[in-house]
Amino acid sequence: MVAVTIWNEYRHEREDDDVAAVYPDGIHATLADALEASHDVETATLDEPEHGLTADVLESTDVLLWWGHEAHDDVDDAVVDRVHERVLEGMGLIVLHSGHYSKIFKRLMGTSCSLQWREDGGTERLWVVDPGHPIADGVGEYVELPETEMYGEPFDVPEPDRLVFTSWFEGGEVFRSGCCYRRGSGRIFYFRPGHETYPIYEHEEIRSILDNAVEWAAPTEGAPRTFGHRDRD
Ligand code: ZN
């Protein structure tokens, strides 16, 4: 089983009734419910000591999911350093929705990670543009989400190694919604669907995609990461 840690800012759900109505126990609890049938799942939140991401927690995490929105700046740089190092060592990272503006994602991408958005509850079609990719296993040609926040291009990220999903919105915009990267030995997947006032993480196909993404992002044994001066063998 893959050891998954789901990190959630967990502020909206405690401050806003509209959000609490959709995610009464927090987005992390809904995501845990989606993943715990096939993975070993723990959760961590911003207001815990060290944001719940101590060195020990990260050491035992294979794949970290990240959901943040209104409090990216409250994330301690020392914790970001620690997560960054673990990604380079091989820990998988799945960055969800508004996590595009998190400190860790911006650091890993090296760009602004900016985009366009509009919260109008319009329809989204999440098209599979890489049907052979393991993250798309079992998904149809597209997933239709009846009520979403629009994210539009340009999305200021480096060209993904693989692009698995592209979204179409009824306002006419498009967006690269499922982007795969490697940094060091770590696999990173950015996945757009989310938003705190729509029950996107209750959607069966979205839950399967997240399940697949955990499997894809899990570390593989690989070879040792050995750097520095080397004597001849
Ligand atoms: Zn949102």
Side-chain angles (χ1 to χ4, degrees), residues 67 69 97-98 117 119 149 151 192 194-198:
W67 202 98
H69 182 217
H97 189 64
S98 42
W117 75 88
E119 199 183 332
E149 173 185 30
Y151 274 12
R192 187 209 96 80
H195 198 65
E196 63 279 4
T197 57
Y198 305 120

Side-chain angles (χ1 to χ4, degrees), residues 139-180:
V139 182
E141 280 186 293
Y142 61 83
V143 178
E144 185 152 311
L145 299 166
E147 256 197 322
T148 59
E149 173 185 30
M150 185 282 292
Y151 274 12
E153 297 280 348
F155 184 20
D156 184 25
V157 286
E159 191 71 22
D161 300 336
R162 300 296 298 194
L163 179 66
V164 187
F165 301 102
T166 298
S167 289
W168 165 92
F169 297 88
E170 62 174 312
E173 297 85 359
V174 293
F175 189 76
R176 288 168 291 168
S177 284
C179 304
C180 297

Side-chain angles (χ1 to χ4, degrees), residues 53 58 64 79-87 91 104:
L53 299 176
L58 289 174
L64 177 67
V79 173
V80 177
D81 290 347
R82 207 182 276 160
V83 173
H84 184 215
E85 193 174 325
R86 281 287 295 134
V87 170
M91 181 182 74
I104 184 61

